[in-house]
Amino acid sequence: MSAEIICVGTELLLGDILNGNAQFLAQQLAQLGIPHYYQTVVGDNPERLKEVIEIAISRAQILIFTGGLGPTPDDLTCETIADFFKVPLVERSDIIEDITQKFAQRGRVMSPSNRKQALIPQGAEILPNPTGTAPGIIWQPRPEITIFTFPGVPSEMHPMWEETAVPFLKSQGWGKEIIYSRSLKFWGIGESALAEKVASYLKLPNPTVAPYAGKGEVRLRVSAKATSEAAAEELIAPIEKQLKEIAGLDFYGVNNDTLASVVGQLLRTSKETLSVAESCTGGGLGQMLTEISGSSDYFWGGVISYDNSVKAGLLGVNQEDLDKFGAVSAIVAEQMAIGVKTRLATTWGLSITGIAGPTGGTDTKPVGLVYVGLAGPDDEVASFEYQFGTVRGRALIRHVSANAALDNLRRKLLTR
């Protein structure tokens, strides 16, 4: 038994709207222990929607539709489903009464076009919409098929799912098991390299392990099917421990951890402080740090030294080194780190200087070249060179640069 999510709307295909409904439903299905292997997005076209239904009923027993329940001519989900199963639509007076009352509460009169929302397949049950005018349906057109329909508006769909769909599915025996996942996060290693290290774990049946990458980091999702979250965690715990041991320092956190939050906790534990000097990231590093609640305990501030005059005048970078080596260089990164650490009187100083693009690169210093400087206690100073390339784009180069800087500090704090 498995479910399939079918999201209806040409606006989704055009990219005008982010498809958050599919993510929400996928997470909810996992909490009920309901496997789902396919998600489909289809435009507001009856024939294509019928093709999608034909495929879906051949591989899933629970079909969950979102979108296409409105009053306009292109809202065709309900009538197309009914037509596919050769069942007539019937007008429900209780739906009309509900819509009329909702309009009256807003001081308006129901539009004639809204009567369309009262048409549901014969034999279907109403899936109430407590806030909007478009009800959904729960329908079993065949003994082995259960259909749910929801409006595409998330604020309407979420309570409909939680208040009606979930209790119904639990009454059918679902929810006795859950699919629970933990996301292990890694920095400083590529997806393929990590996958090779943990290859034997990728074949496990329960819990399962799967790698995926995004924005410079790699994750391993460890998922277990069990009767409870506690039971799933028991299955996951030994596998998680082994994966961490294999990855070593490349592992940095789980689930909602970020490099900024992990570094912050290390600084708080050691009662040390940090200041930053940024050039190409333009304050992005400081923003990551200050997004963490309570970061004022260890983060004292930063300098956005975009122009060389700020690097020299405020941070004390040697003008001769700027002239000789350029702003994007190891020696300048080190002096920026020393300068901000000294002027803000912190334990650690962290700096970033680079070429984020899309312009400004040369043959010797291409777009994506970044230097990180790190100054610590006892006059420690180091620099790290990165070549992030041009294909990442300006925003991503800035993002991975800030995280690379944090990762260097994290490793230093863990290994000193």
Side-chain angles (χ1 to χ4, degrees):
M1 179 81 69
S2 66
E4 181 154 344
I5 298 169
I6 301 170
C7 300
V8 184
T10 303
E11 68 277 8
L12 295 171
L13 291 175
L14 294 174
D16 293 337
I17 297 177
L18 184 66
N19 191 6
N21 286 343
Q23 181 185 35
F24 170 81
L25 289 168
Q27 293 168 341
Q28 292 292 309
L29 288 170
Q31 290 179 19
L32 291 167
I34 301 176
H36 101 276
Y37 307 118
Y38 301 95
Q39 296 178 4
T40 303
V41 177
V42 61
D44 301 300
N45 180 284
E47 295 310 312
R48 286 193 282 274
L49 181 52
K50 288 179 184 178
E51 291 173 7
V52 166
I53 297 171
E54 183 72 50
I55 296 169
I57 62 174
S58 71
R59 61 193 184 189
Q61 295 73 46
I62 301 172
L63 275 57
I64 304 171
F65 294 81
T66 69
L69 302 186
T72 60
D74 63 339
D75 290 311
L76 302 167
T77 297
C78 237
E79 61 187 83
T80 302
I81 294 172
D83 188 37
F84 178 88
F85 288 103
K86 310 301 181 188
V87 173
L89 291 170
V90 294
E91 186 177 85
R92 293 284 296 263
S93 58
D94 47 349
I95 296 177
I96 293 176
E97 182 180 351
D98 179 68
I99 296 173
T100 302
Q101 289 178 353
K102 285 173 179 172
F103 270 89
Q105 289 168 359
R106 302 167 191 169
R108 297 167 58 193
V109 177
M110 185 186 80
S111 168
S113 63
N114 285 98
R115 293 186 71 94
K116 176 183 177 182
Q117 294 175 302
L119 296 170
I120 67 171
Q122 189 174 55
E125 296 295 326
I126 297 171
L127 203 167
N129 184 339
T131 57
T133 61
I137 64 168
I138 301 176
W139 186 34
Q140 291 182 297
R142 297 176 186 173
E144 73 281 6
I145 299 294
T146 300
I147 288 175
F148 295 86
T149 66
F150 298 90
V153 181
S155 61
E156 297 180 21
M157 187 267 284
H158 290 193
M160 293 171 68
W161 172 265
E162 292 163 354
E163 294 172 16
T164 305
V166 170
F168 174 85
L169 288 166
K170 286 185 175 180
S171 74
Q172 303 299 302
W174 292 103
K176 294 178 181 178
E177 287 189 312
I178 65 165
I179 301 170
Y180 175 78
S181 299
R182 277 175 71 80
S183 180
L184 311 186
K185 297 184 174 182
F186 307 82
W187 192 276
I189 186 171
E191 182 182 12
S192 59
L194 181 60
E196 288 177 9
K197 281 190 172 186
V198 301
S200 61
Y201 292 85
L202 304 183
K203 301 174 184 177
L204 295 175
N206 189 31
T208 61
V209 179
Y212 57 107
K215 290 192 174 182
E217 72 176 17
V218 183
R219 301 185 184 188
L220 291 177
R221 186 187 64 248
V222 187
S223 303
K225 191 169 186 178
T227 55
S228 67
E229 185 174 314
E233 286 181 335
E234 284 187 17
L235 292 172
I236 290 172
I239 302 301
E240 178 178 340
K241 182 175 182 291
Q242 293 163 30
L243 292 171
K244 289 177 182 179
E245 290 173 351
I246 291 170
L249 280 175
D250 290 332
F251 166 79
Y252 79 83
V254 299
N255 292 344
N256 296 322
D257 288 339
T258 64
L259 281 163
S261 69
V262 170
V263 164
Q265 188 55 49
L266 291 170
L267 290 169
R268 181 180 282 113
T269 300
S270 62
K271 294 182 170 54
E272 295 178 326
T273 55
L274 171 67
S275 57
V276 300
E278 305 182 59
S279 184
C280 66
T281 46
L285 176 56
Q287 181 181 11
M288 286 181 178
L289 288 161
T290 54
E291 282 177 348
I292 309 303
S293 179
S295 57
S296 58
D297 292 345
Y298 51 82
F299 179 58
W300 284 13
V303 175
I304 303 174
S305 53
Y306 221 58
D307 189 78
N308 282 353
S309 63
V310 180
K311 294 181 180 71
L314 189 57
L315 296 176
V317 176
N318 188 293
Q319 186 63 51
E320 291 182 2
D321 291 332
L322 280 167
D323 295 339
K324 182 177 181 180
F325 300 104
V328 182
S329 60
I331 192 169
V332 168
E334 291 177 2
Q335 290 180 38
M336 288 170 63
I338 294 168
V340 75
K341 171 184 175 294
T342 301
R343 282 154 178 75
L344 273 67
T346 53
T347 316
W348 298 91
L350 195 55
S351 71
I352 305 172
T353 179
I355 306 169
T359 60
T362 65
D363 290 340
T364 56
K365 293 186 177 183
V367 169
L369 176 65
V370 173
Y371 289 94
V372 169
L374 178 61
D378 304 321
D379 298 323
E380 299 175 65
V381 64
S383 59
F384 310 88
E385 180 182 321
Y386 296 92
Q387 178 47 260
F388 293 123
T390 60
V391 294
R392 293 174 180 263
R394 181 179 177 83
L396 189 52
I397 288 173
R398 290 159 65 112
H399 176 83
V400 296
S401 297
N403 272 313
L406 289 167
D407 185 59
N408 279 298
L409 177 55
R410 175 186 69 90
R411 291 171 186 261
K412 184 65 175 177
L413 290 166
L414 288 171
T415 58
R416 57 183 170 159

